[in-house]
Amino acid sequence: MQTATLSSVATMREATTPRQFTAQYMPLEQVTRPNLTTAETAHYLNRRPQTLRGWACLENGPIRPRRIGGLLAWNTAEVKTLVGI
């Protein structure tokens, strides 16, 4: 029977641990597109994407998205206003 060394256990743990994906977002002042994705809007508003999806479903949030092709599109100008830019 083969025993695992500490380094091989660490390597196995790294291989099986899901890596966190961190997207890089440009400053909101520099965004010129008319709409943002849910992930981008959540980042700029410091909320979780699921919170924004709840706002869209219940129509009770400070801003409401448009639905384009089954996806939520959040108006960039409204997000900037809400943030205070």
Side-chain angles (χ1 to χ4, degrees):
M1 180 181 218
Q2 187 178 5
T3 32
T5 63
L6 186 58
S7 63
S8 65
V9 170
T11 304
M12 287 175 17
R13 195 172 288 146
E14 286 177 13
T16 58
T17 304
R19 297 187 184 261
Q20 292 292 331
F21 176 73
T22 54
Q24 298 295 322
Y25 298 103
M26 65 175 32
L28 185 56
E29 300 86 15
Q30 295 177 4
V31 177
T32 58
R33 292 177 298 136
N35 296 306
L36 298 169
T37 65
T38 300
E40 292 169 329
T41 305
H43 171 78
Y44 294 127
L45 296 180
N46 197 26
R47 298 284 184 263
R48 290 181 158 220
Q50 190 59 36
T51 301
L52 275 67
R53 290 186 201 103
W55 290 351
C57 241
L58 301 174
E59 297 183 354
N60 66 350
I63 58 175
R64 293 189 180 157
R66 292 185 178 98
R67 287 173 173 79
I68 301 174
L71 300 175
L72 299 176
W74 301 83
N75 186 289
T76 304
E78 290 178 9
V79 173
K80 287 181 178 182
T81 302
L82 189 60
V83 171
I85 297 175

